[in-house]
Amino acid sequence: MNNDHPALDELAPLSPDELYRQWVLTPEGDDGVHGWRKYSLHGWQLSAHPDAYVCELLSAEGDSLGWLLEPLAYLSADGGIVPKKKLTLPVSKNSDVAEFERAFYGRDSAGYSDGTGIMGPWVAIIIGGPGGASISRVYLGASHSIVYHPQKRVVATSHNLVPGIQRNEELSLAYDCLNRKSYFSFGLTAFQSLYRLLPNHYLDLDTFLSERHWPSGALKPKHVGKEGAAAMVDHERRFLDALSSEYNSFKVFASAGRDSRAVLSMLRPFVADGADVILSTSVGSDLESQTDLYVARRLARITGLPHEVKRNTNKNSGNEDYMRRGFVRIGEAASSPGLFSSPGVHQRKPFDSNARFNLAGMGGETGRGPFWKKGVPSEPLTPEFLMEKVKAPLDNAEVKAATTKWLNEIPSEFREKNADVLDLAYIEQRMGCWQAPMSYLSGGMINPGGLSRQSTSPMAEAFCYETMLRLPVEYRAAGVLQRDMVAYGWPELLSDIPFNEPTRLLRLRRFISRSVKNPRVIFGAIRSRLS
């Protein structure tokens, strides 16, 4: 697709009706968005699409603190709940920053989580003022991100809701997302003075500056390996138990991969108790899809669970109008197959207990070093190295400055372990800058169409990310975390079924395909047999 920025600019801003679940925070007195719900507190106004899930935040004494958007569950030491119209936090309006962050993430002063806190792709807006909270900040879920404009003092889900902005032509051309299938990184966007608030950062509403709040220092190793796998499974079962109090059934997107099987292993006690669980696999004609189908069918037989198969037929594929509209809807943040999803499909309403809750495995790959699995550099990481890892344009001064700023903001003691820095980059850049905006596409499936409200990736949560970062580097490099999760959670799911590996006729098909492309594969196989 050509760099037709005028065509994109003609689409923006999209109609408010098309910005499903999106919202904008502005100084009070702004007209807001016509037809959207409006909430006001201490000089600020929140306008939210009718399908957006807005929950009022209250202190322990009942004082209004602000709003919580799109939470899935709140876990406490006593159990878990699905927040509805209101959520009372274990804080007072005069609590300090540490108490608020502990309520959000379950973290102590050293930055270690006890497994409590808010779950999902949430955003918490805390408004200080007379009789209000002691701070005015915006916090994010572990994999989420939003945008903000310091001069206009606007916070929003996409550029569609920030009036009067101008395109940054140089950055738009440098990233060239639609042609390069890339995404904007390190807090940058396609627009002048519009920035992306990254995971593990908060936005100060007084100064409109973004600040890192986690990690606050080096993370001490906690688990030698299998114990970390077990801790993740146990934690996510608490999360799923909270969800099961509102939703009657689950769907697991099953493939031949590690992460989807790890998610399935979390459901064993629920299946044993009679929960309604099905497996779902999307397939095409390619070898990878056929391998997914073969493995998923075997897993269905082992578990006794029903299995649905969906063919990858996207009638909008190749339609540039659908792609452009999807691209604009998510703030031109990233390219994705989900950009082809129809803009006419609405999200489900909250608390639709008759619909299945979708579970995917994204985020779990953090535990096997996706940015360093071929080896950890021995020298200190440079901005250029990080730019190359996230596929950012290497010859742009603004990108290099943003990358340098991101690297320098990380505590020096945390930067001593390159593997941890690269995993943090994966969480914040890949999951935060690429995956998070996809939640504002229409549709309810992972591919195509983004994540609906009734979908989550259980491992893309603060406790799991922390646990993965505290595993030994050698253990992460071995890529066995998900195997150990399955061995702990539902060992029968191993049963000599390899991860991401074709078997039988599918293995022969791969061999033939590789041989056609490279005849030396045949001679290599012969030598292997003879030796």
Side-chain angles (χ1 to χ4, degrees):
M1 181 180 290
N2 295 326
N3 293 302
D4 193 356
H5 295 150
L8 295 173
D9 293 336
E10 284 182 12
L11 287 173
L14 291 174
S15 164
D17 291 339
E18 195 173 328
L19 301 176
Y20 314 122
R21 296 168 57 206
Q22 297 203 32
W23 53 266
V24 57
L25 180 71
T26 57
E28 207 167 39
D30 180 88
D31 292 336
V33 181
H34 179 69
W36 283 17
R37 290 176 292 158
K38 296 179 176 60
Y39 310 81
S40 297
L41 185 65
H42 302 311
W44 289 94
Q45 176 177 270
L46 175 69
S47 296
H49 184 278
D51 280 354
Y53 179 11
V54 181
C55 177
E56 184 183 6
L57 284 175
L58 301 175
S59 71
E61 296 80 19
D63 303 295
S64 182
L65 301 173
W67 308 284
L68 180 63
L69 296 115
E70 304 294 340
L72 288 179
Y74 187 80
L75 303 184
S76 67
D78 300 324
I81 60 169
V82 174
K84 294 189 179 180
K85 293 183 178 181
K86 297 181 179 182
L87 175 65
T88 299
L89 294 175
V91 298
S92 72
K93 63 183 181 182
N94 298 317
S95 291
D96 61 17
V97 168
E99 291 178 273
F100 275 99
E101 293 181 359
R102 182 170 181 80
F104 295 149
Y105 305 100
R107 292 183 179 135
D108 60 22
S109 58
Y112 298 126
S113 173
D114 60 7
T116 61
I118 309 170
M119 307 290 284
W122 55 271
V123 178
I125 302 173
I126 303 298
I127 306 295
S134 58
I135 59 173
S136 294
R137 292 183 177 183
V138 179
Y139 284 92
L140 301 168
S143 292
H144 204 50
S145 68
I146 52 177
V147 295
Y148 64 99
H149 196 295
Q151 286 74 39
K152 297 180 181 295
R153 298 181 67 79
V154 174
V155 186
T157 45
S158 72
H159 73 293
N160 293 280
L161 297 162
V162 185
I165 59 173
Q166 301 295 318
R167 177 175 297 280
N168 187 324
E169 193 71 30
E170 184 179 353
L171 271 186
S172 297
L173 290 171
Y175 275 93
D176 192 14
C177 290
L178 290 179
N179 285 317
R180 295 177 61 237
K181 295 183 179 180
S182 63
Y183 55 95
F184 279 89
S185 50
F186 298 107
L188 298 172
T189 75
F191 305 95
Q192 295 177 15
S193 302
L194 186 71
Y195 302 100
R196 183 162 294 277
L197 183 64
L198 299 177
N200 303 315
H201 293 69
Y202 67 83
L203 179 67
D204 188 313
L205 290 176
D206 293 324
T207 64
F208 255 77
L209 294 175
S210 167
E211 299 286 345
R212 176 177 292 281
H213 63 82
W214 188 86
S216 55
L219 295 177
K220 298 178 181 178
K222 182 178 181 181
H223 304 288
V224 296
K226 293 182 179 180
E227 295 87 345
M232 288 176 60
V233 172
D234 288 341
H235 176 264
E236 295 311 311
R237 283 175 174 170
R238 291 181 59 204
F239 179 24
L240 295 174
D241 187 58
L243 290 176
S244 67
S245 67
E246 287 292 340
Y247 302 105
N248 295 330
S249 55
F250 294 99
K251 177 189 293 185
V252 178
F253 295 107
S255 69
R258 296 169 173 82
D259 302 309
S260 63
R261 209 177 309 182
V263 170
L264 179 56
S265 74
M266 299 170 188
L267 285 164
R268 184 181 190 179
F270 301 90
V271 172
D273 288 341
D276 181 9
V277 178
I278 69 169
L279 307 183
S280 180
T281 306
S282 296
V283 299
S285 59
D286 59 288
L287 178 61
E288 182 179 356
S289 288
Q290 293 302 309
T291 302
D292 287 343
L293 179 59
Y294 175 76
V295 170
R297 281 175 170 166
R298 291 187 66 183
L299 295 175
R301 287 196 295 270
I302 291 171
T303 59
L305 296 174
H307 179 215
E308 67 175 19
V309 178
K310 295 190 174 183
R311 301 293 169 182
N312 286 332
T313 55
N314 193 327
K315 63 181 180 180
N316 300 321
S317 182
N319 187 317
E320 290 192 1
D321 180 61
Y322 277 106
M323 173 175 272
R324 285 195 183 98
R325 296 192 80 84
F327 189 53
V328 172
R329 191 181 304 119
I330 63 171
E332 300 190 20
S335 178
S336 163
L339 297 181
F340 290 114
S341 63
S342 169
V345 180
H346 280 74
Q347 299 287 356
R348 299 176 181 133
K349 297 293 192 292
F351 309 119
D352 182 2
S353 60
N354 293 319
R356 294 186 182 277
F357 200 98
N358 302 322
L359 301 174
M362 290 176 293
E365 64 273 18
T366 309
R368 51 184 182 271
F371 279 172
W372 55 268
K373 57 187 175 184
K374 295 183 179 180
V376 183
S378 56
E379 298 296 321
L381 299 180
T382 63
E384 291 82 2
F385 183 89
L386 290 167
M387 291 161 65
E388 188 173 0
K389 280 296 176 183
V390 303
K391 299 181 180 179
L394 299 177
D395 55 353
N396 184 280
E398 190 172 356
V399 177
K400 184 175 180 180
T403 310
T404 303
K405 178 177 181 291
W406 180 87
L407 184 60
N408 290 339
E409 286 177 345
I410 300 173
S412 57
E413 57 270 32
F414 186 93
R415 291 204 306 267
E416 291 177 2
K417 289 179 65 174
N418 285 344
D420 288 355
V421 175
L422 289 170
D423 284 342
L424 188 66
Y426 185 86
I427 293 167
E428 296 183 8
Q429 311 304 325
R430 182 67 172 167
M431 297 300 293
C433 293
W434 176 81
Q435 180 56 39
M438 299 301 142
S439 61
Y440 299 109
L441 287 171
S442 62
M445 296 297 293
I446 300 297
N447 183 20
L451 290 168
S452 74
R453 174 179 296 113
Q454 290 188 191
S455 296
T456 192
S457 300
M459 288 181 281
E461 296 288 349
F463 178 86
C464 289
Y465 282 146
E466 178 195 315
T467 300
M468 287 185 271
L469 286 171
R470 296 180 71 183
L471 292 168
V473 172
E474 297 77 15
Y475 180 82
R476 282 181 266 170
V480 295
L481 171 62
Q482 281 72 24
R483 183 203 65 189
D484 287 344
M485 291 176 70
V486 177
Y488 172 79
W490 202 335
E492 291 82 1
L493 299 182
L494 294 176
S495 298
D496 298 323
I497 307 175
F499 296 111
N500 295 316
E501 184 68 25
T503 58
R504 300 183 180 180
L505 292 177
L506 291 174
R507 181 179 295 175
L508 177 62
R509 175 180 164 182
R510 181 180 68 177
F511 176 76
I512 293 173
S513 176
R514 289 179 175 178
S515 299
V516 170
K517 295 178 180 178
N518 184 4
R520 286 181 295 180
V521 171
I522 299 176
F523 298 115
I526 294 174
R527 283 198 301 269
S528 177
R529 288 287 185 181
L530 292 175
S531 61

